[in-house]
Amino acid sequence: MPKLGMPPLRRRALIDAAIMTIGERGTLDVTMSEIAGRAGVSSALAHHYFGAKDGLLQATMRHILSELNADVRKALATSRTARERVSAVIAVNFSATQFQPEIIAAWLAFYVEAQKSQPLRRLLRVYARRLHSNLMSGLTGLMPRPEAERVAEAIAALIDGLYIRRALKDGTPNATSAVALVEDYLETKLLQHKKPA
């Protein structure tokens, strides 16, 4: 008789295997058999849990977004000031859990696939809206809303751009330099805002 907790464990194992396989290949052009083999389950079981490969890929993207969202919420809960809120959002995007080679490669693969997959495009829109909202939660306390909108858009572009650039390089991602680059931009904008008109 199977254990009660096995289906969630197997689903999670398949999602983790998908991230690792996509990360190694740098593409979503992987098979259910490869992912299932890496997870230590049969291909038939993978199909049973997720249907077609697209179902597993969407579940994988939702998992990555869910983990990122949970990390951001934890970081924001301990932020006392508007400035700390913005820095927390930036730091989480480059944390050890998020800014690792497999996750970076998976993000790049999902961005590419979203050009032809409406479900993945919708998930990426959810991510973009959340990122914008989380940044705005701090930025609106630091500058007028129109400027906060522009700065939030630029920070989001820097985060996405640093992921893309990192995906195209070999070696270990350098989260410290990535955070410093985004923080430098933010500090420049804050200083400009403080200057008298």
Side-chain angles (χ1 to χ4, degrees), residues 115-150:
Q115 300 307 305
K116 53 189 175 185
S117 166
Q118 283 301 321
L120 289 179
R121 186 174 295 189
R122 277 193 298 275
L123 288 172
L124 287 172
R125 283 190 190 125
V126 168
Y127 153 73
R129 281 194 302 269
R130 274 191 196 146
L131 177 57
H132 183 79
S133 173
N134 288 329
L135 289 167
M136 289 295 287
S137 75
L139 288 169
T140 52
L142 300 168
M143 59 188 68
R145 188 166 195 87
E147 181 65 11
E149 293 277 358
R150 286 189 293 276

